[in-house]
Amino acid sequence: MPLAIRDTYTYRVPDGMKDPQPGMRVLVPLGTKQLTGIVLREHTEPVPEQIKLRDVVALLDDVPAVNGSQLKLWQWIADYYMCPIGDVMAAALPARVYDKAYSFSPVKKRRVRLPEYIGEIEDIHRLSDEQLRAKEEIQRAWQTRETVLLHGVTASGKTEVYMHLIQEQLDAGKQVLYLVPEIALTTQLTDRLQRVFGDRVVVYHSRVSDGLRAEIYRQQLNPQPRLIVGARSAVLLPFDGLGLIIVDEEHETSYKQQEPAPRYHARSAAIMLARQQGAKVLLGTATPAVETYYNALTGKYGLVSMTHRYADVELPRVELIDLERQYHRKEMYGHFSDPLVDKIRQVLKDGKQVILFQNRRGYAPQLQCTQCGQPPRCVQCDVPLTYHRGANELRCHYCGYTRPIPPVCPECGGELKVRGFGTERVEDEVAQFFPEARVLRMDLDTTRQKTAYQDIIDRFSRHECDILIGTQMVTKGLHFDDVALVAVLNADHLMNQPDFRAYERTFQMLSQVAGRAGRKGKQGEVVIQTFRKDSPVLRDVLHHNYESLYQDQIAERELFHYPPFYRIIELTLRHRCEAPVADAAALLQQRLRSVFGDRVSGVVVPSIARVQNNHIRLVRLRIEANANIARAKQMVREQMEYVLARHKSTQIIADVDPQ
Ligand code: ADP
Ligand code: ZN
C-alpha cells in the first residue's frame, strides 16, 4: 500500500475470487478503511493458526497494473535506499490509479488523451565527424558494457548524438527513456525532439496533469516504440522492450530525490532498470560527477569524449577578477568591479545580452577571511565550518566538531567577516548602475508559478530583456544566441559551501554557466569575481580542465574517506522537542559506534536545527565501498529499531548516498 509503513501485509483471497497475480490492484481493509494496494507475491508458507487473515475486498484488474520489472525495481529501491516499498509505490503511481473505479483495460472513450503533434516534421541533422566518431565509439563500448559516459564539452552537440541513437532504437521497435533534470525540461528540448520524432515523443514530469500522467502510465503497460522524455520519476514508469536510457546532465543533483522518501537517485535506478530490461545506458555531461568519472576510468563504464564545440565555435574566454585588489583600491560599484561594469556597458552598447549569476544557496552563514578569502575549515573533514550566531561558535556539518570563533583567520591572520548576499540585492544594484537596461530575475521566488520559468526563458531568448539575473537555474542546457557575456559576481559562495562536493559543484556550475556564453559562431566572454583567485578549482575553470579538477578531487576523496571510496548513510532524527531528539541521537550514535566504530560521526547539530517545528539531529556513517553494504544496512536498521523502541515519538530517516 502507498504508505510509509515498514511491512507489507498479507490477506486471504476469498473463495470465488479470481487468483490475483503479482502487480494487480486489490482493494483491501486496513483498520476501518479500505485501501488500494498492489499484489506483491503469493504467500506460500503456512500461516500460524492464531493469525486471522482478513479477506481481499475486490480484485480491481484483470491484467497487472505494475509489471514484473517494476516490482523488482521497487524492491531494489526500497532495499538500497532503506525505505518501505510503499513509499516507492506512492512515488511511482499517478494518483488516479488508486481510484478503485479506474480501469486499465480498453475503454471506448477516454477523457484524457495524449496530445497529438501537429507541427511539421523536420529531418534529423547530419552528424559532424567528431559526433559520428563518438556515436560509433559509444556503440562499440556497449558491446562489452551496459553503461557508457559521453563526456562532451558544452555545445559539442551531445543532443544530436543522442537523437541518432534514439532513432536507431525506435526503428528497431524499441523504447527509449530520455532523462533530464526537471528544470531542463524546457520547450527548447521537447520542441526539437517532437520536430524529429513527432507523436512518438511523450513528455512526463511533475507539472504534467495527473490525468495525463495516468494515461501515459496506462499506455506504457502496452508499450510501443516510444521516446519518453522525463524527469526523475519517469524511471518508475512501466517499460517492456526498453532499448536505451539516456541520462543527460548526469551530474545534476536534482536526480536525487530529497524529500519525501524514496530518497533514490534516478541515475542509479536507471542503471538497474536497464539491467532488468537488457537495455543500454548513456550518461551525458560536460562535467561528470566525480563518482561517474571514477567508474569510467576504472573500466566499469565505457568512456567516450567530444572535445570540440559543434562547428568549431571556441570555448568561452574566462577571466578572473581579484576582488581583494578591487576593494582595496576602492574600484567597486556595490558588488560590481570597475572592469565588469565597463564590460557590461560595452555589451549593452553592442545590443547583446548579459547573464549575471549569483548563487543564493549560501544562506548557511559563513565567516570568510577578507585577506585570503578562505573560510575556517574542519580539521577532520576538510569542509568549511558553519557560523552559528546563537551559540557564537563554528561547527562542522559532517562530524559535529565545534570550536570557538577564532579572533583572526587561522590560515593567514587576516580579518574574518560574515558573508552572504542574494539575487534581489543584485537586481537593485543593476537598476542603479545600468538604469537603461531591461532586467529579468530568475530564482526560486520568481519561478514559483507553473509557467514562470518557461516565460522568463522565452522572453530572454526573444531578446525582450538585456540582463538576466539568476541562480544555478540559469546554468541548465539552454541556448541563447545573443549572450556575449556571463558574469559570476562571487564564486566564493560556491567554493565555500560546507560540503565535500563544494569544489566539484563549483567547477560544474561555473563551466555550465560559462557554456551559455557565445554560442552562435562567436566566442563568448566569462568574468568571475573572487577573493580566492589562486584557488585550484578556479584555475581549472579558467583552462576548461576537468581532468585536473578530477585528479585533485579524487585524491581528497580518498584521503578524507568520501565516495566513491566510502558510502555515506545519513540518519536524520526529528522530534518536536529538543531534549528527546538530543537523547535519541546520542543513543543512536552510541549504539552505532559499538558496531561501526569510528565510521560513525559525532551527533551533528545542523545550522538550521529546527525545520517545520521539528528539532533535527544528524548522525553520519561512512562505510568502505568494498564492504558488504546490504549487511551494513541491516545492522543500521537494527540499531534504528532499538532506538525507536525506546523513543517512540522520534522519527529517524535514512538517506543513502546523500547529495
Ligand atoms: P550539447 O548538448 O553538447 O551542449 P547541443 O546538442 O545542444 O550541445 O548542440 C549545440 C548547438 O549546436 C545546438 O544549437 C545544435 O542545434 C547545434 N548542432 C549540434 N550538432 C549539430 C549538427 N550535427 N548539425 C546541425 N547543428 C548541430
Ligand atoms: Zn568535521
Side-chain angles (χ1 to χ4, degrees):
M1 278 165 280
L3 303 169
I5 39 180
R6 243 202 85 68
D7 293 307
T8 48
Y9 284 70
T10 306
Y11 291 90
R12 206 182 73 93
V13 180
D15 298 337
M17 185 181 284
K18 255 177 65 182
D19 251 358
Q21 304 294 309
M24 287 182 178
R25 291 175 307 153
V26 283
L27 196 63
V28 291
L30 186 75
T32 54
K33 291 199 200 124
Q34 292 190 344
L35 284 177
T36 306
I38 297 284
V39 178
L40 198 57
R41 61 178 163 264
E42 188 183 345
H43 190 99
T44 45
E45 306 90 77
V47 179
E49 284 283 321
Q50 65 274 26
I51 294 184
K52 185 146 171 21
L53 295 180
R54 299 177 78 179
D55 280 358
V56 173
V57 177
L59 176 60
L60 302 178
D61 295 316
D62 40 23
V63 287
V66 179
N67 68 30
S69 159
Q70 276 177 294
L71 286 180
K72 260 198 235 152
L73 187 65
W74 289 10
Q75 193 66 62
W76 178 80
I77 291 175
D79 291 345
Y80 188 87
Y81 294 102
M82 301 178 72
C83 69
I85 196 168
D87 279 334
V88 189
M89 174 182 173
L93 295 182
R96 189 157 303 192
V97 172
Y98 296 109
D99 187 340
K100 59 177 189 258
Y102 188 84
S103 161
F104 283 102
S105 37
V107 172
K108 271 232 184 66
K109 215 164 161 61
R110 289 214 170 248
R111 262 188 295 157
V112 183
R113 301 238 224 120
L114 299 197
E116 272 170 41
Y117 182 69
I118 43 171
E120 251 168 57
I121 293 285
E122 204 173 80
D123 272 345
I124 195 163
H125 289 310
R126 273 192 50 176
L127 294 182
S128 69
D129 290 346
E130 187 179 50
Q131 289 169 332
L132 197 60
R133 175 195 51 77
K135 178 180 160 252
E136 287 167 0
E137 279 183 25
I138 291 165
Q139 288 173 319
R140 206 168 318 128
W142 275 336
Q143 288 172 6
T144 51
R145 290 179 187 86
E146 289 169 331
T147 303
V148 173
L149 169 65
L150 173 59
H151 179 206
V153 296
T154 52
S156 53
K158 294 182 286 296
T159 319
E160 301 294 331
V161 175
Y162 302 157
M163 285 165 79
H164 281 257
L165 293 166
I166 291 167
Q167 182 146 55
E168 290 183 12
Q169 294 291 331
L170 294 178
D171 288 350
K174 292 286 198 174
Q175 291 214 319
V176 179
L177 172 61
Y178 187 152
L179 291 176
V180 290
E182 176 91 28
I183 206 79
L185 260 177
T186 57
T187 47
Q188 273 192 3
L189 173 69
T190 51
D191 283 356
R192 170 88 183 112
L193 293 171
Q194 275 170 337
R195 271 181 270 130
V196 173
F197 300 115
D199 276 345
R200 289 176 294 178
V201 179
V202 173
V203 181
Y204 186 88
H205 55 79
S206 63
R207 279 161 297 149
V208 168
S209 73
D210 189 62
L212 189 51
R213 279 157 67 97
E215 181 56 13
I216 293 171
Y217 187 99
R218 190 186 72 87
Q219 297 215 6
Q220 277 300 104
L221 284 175
N222 239 326
Q224 291 164 2
R226 250 190 231 121
L227 170 61
I228 304 280
V229 186
R232 186 174 64 216
S233 64
V235 79
L236 301 172
L237 280 169
F239 289 97
D240 186 8
L242 185 65
L244 169 62
I245 306 179
I246 292 163
V247 184
D248 193 25
E249 309 288 359
E250 65 82 26
H251 64 280
E252 275 293 328
T253 45
S254 62
Y255 280 126
K256 178 76 159 50
Q257 176 151 319
Q258 306 281 359
E259 193 67 35
R263 293 174 179 77
Y264 67 108
H265 200 302
R267 182 180 60 212
S268 307
I271 291 171
M272 287 314 292
L273 173 65
R275 194 165 295 169
Q276 286 162 12
Q277 294 273 321
K280 299 296 180 192
V281 179
L282 183 60
L283 309 176
T285 176
T287 53
V290 167
E291 289 89 334
T292 301
Y293 206 65
Y294 176 82
N295 283 335
L297 292 187
T298 53
K300 193 168 162 199
Y301 301 162
L303 175 61
V304 176
S305 318
M306 292 202 289
T307 53
H308 300 91
R309 289 184 145 191
Y310 178 73
D312 283 322
V313 175
E314 282 180 85
L315 283 165
R317 193 169 52 243
V318 184
E319 188 186 325
L320 299 181
I321 292 184
D322 180 356
L323 284 179
E324 198 211 325
R325 207 177 105 185
Q326 293 293 325
Y327 274 108
H328 190 71
R329 295 194 187 170
K330 305 214 165 22
E331 292 174 350
M332 294 291 293
Y333 292 78
H335 292 91
F336 292 76
S337 61
D338 278 6
L340 177 57
V341 170
D342 291 345
K343 278 182 206 290
I344 295 176
R345 294 224 163 104
Q346 187 58 46
V347 171
L348 294 176
K349 219 165 92 197
D350 295 344
K352 297 285 181 195
Q353 290 172 294
V354 180
I355 293 179
L356 293 180
F357 175 77
Q358 173 59 34
N359 191 292
R360 238 240 307 230
R361 269 181 56 205
Y363 64 69
Q366 248 173 23
L367 291 184
Q368 191 183 12
C369 173
T370 49
Q371 207 160 294
C372 70
Q374 290 281 353
R377 304 180 88 81
C378 175
V379 283
Q380 305 172 57
C381 306
D382 195 39
V383 297
L385 297 168
T386 301
Y387 171 55
H388 287 247
R389 208 172 301 239
N392 200 36
E393 63 185 13
L394 297 177
R395 291 181 186 162
C396 172
H397 281 190
Y398 271 85
C399 70
Y401 164 85
T402 62
R403 62 164 291 173
I405 312 265
V408 290
C409 168
E411 290 292 314
C412 76
E415 189 195 348
L416 293 168
K417 275 200 173 150
V418 182
R419 297 254 178 219
F421 70 105
T423 42
E424 287 152 66
R425 179 77 177 277
V426 176
E427 196 178 8
D428 292 344
E429 292 188 357
V430 167
Q432 196 182 334
F433 307 136
F434 313 100
E436 71 285 7
R438 297 164 299 169
V439 181
L440 278 174
R441 196 179 100 214
M442 175 150 82
D443 57 27
L444 266 183
D445 298 327
T446 63
T447 53
R448 281 193 207 288
Q449 276 166 343
K450 216 174 174 185
T451 59
Y453 175 74
Q454 189 67 48
D455 289 347
I456 294 175
I457 289 167
D458 290 347
R459 288 176 59 196
F460 192 64
S461 345
R462 288 197 302 265
H463 204 144
E464 289 172 18
C465 104
D466 308 301
I467 301 181
L468 176 65
I469 303 169
T471 57
Q472 59 263 40
M473 282 186 176
V474 304
T475 63
K476 312 291 135 83
L478 300 166
H479 309 301
F480 305 110
D481 291 342
D482 283 349
V483 174
L485 174 68
V486 171
V488 179
L489 289 173
N490 189 332
D492 306 3
H493 297 314
L494 292 169
M495 284 189 278
N496 297 348
Q497 291 292 325
D499 176 350
F500 70 89
R501 291 189 175 91
Y503 289 144
E504 177 189 352
R505 300 267 186 263
T506 301
F507 183 89
Q508 287 163 344
M509 259 185 224
L510 294 181
S511 308
Q512 296 286 339
V513 88
R516 303 312 115 212
R519 282 211 158 212
K520 228 175 204 160
K522 203 163 169 288
Q523 188 182 23
E525 221 185 319
V526 179
V527 168
I528 299 175
Q529 302 193 130
T530 175
F531 280 97
R532 297 176 56 183
K533 78 172 200 338
D534 296 324
S535 125
V537 61
L538 293 182
R539 180 198 60 209
D540 294 337
V541 172
L542 204 62
H543 299 118
H544 307 288
N545 194 344
Y546 176 80
E547 267 314 313
S548 156
L549 179 275
Y550 171 79
Q551 292 304 342
D552 283 355
Q553 289 309 301
I554 202 79
E556 294 276 297
R557 300 275 190 104
E558 188 158 24
L559 192 61
F560 288 97
H561 294 192
Y562 288 121
F565 305 100
Y566 284 73
R567 276 179 229 261
I568 299 179
I569 300 176
E570 195 172 275
L571 301 171
T572 303
L573 299 94
R574 295 187 197 162
H575 194 285
R576 296 221 162 256
C577 306
E578 182 155 18
V581 80
D583 286 352
L587 179 62
L588 181 64
Q589 197 264 355
Q590 178 209 330
R591 299 284 307 185
L592 288 169
R593 272 261 160 109
S594 69
V595 182
F596 294 99
D598 61 7
R599 294 178 188 84
V600 183
S601 75
V603 173
V604 178
V605 185
S607 71
I608 310 167
R610 207 166 152 213
V611 179
Q612 292 172 341
N613 280 328
N614 275 315
H615 290 265
I616 313 271
R617 292 292 184 274
L618 291 175
V619 178
R620 284 198 182 82
L621 261 117
R622 297 186 225 188
I623 299 182
E624 290 85 340
N626 57 9
N628 182 342
I629 190 74
R631 172 139 172 68
K633 282 176 190 160
Q634 186 48 40
M635 295 194 288
V636 172
R637 250 183 236 113
E638 282 162 18
Q639 300 311 325
M640 280 166 67
E641 268 155 32
Y642 178 89
V643 173
L644 285 172
R646 282 155 188 80
H647 292 265
K648 293 219 163 53
S649 48
T650 300
Q651 222 190 335
I652 308 181
I653 291 155
D655 189 355
V656 179
D657 302 341
Q659 288 291 304

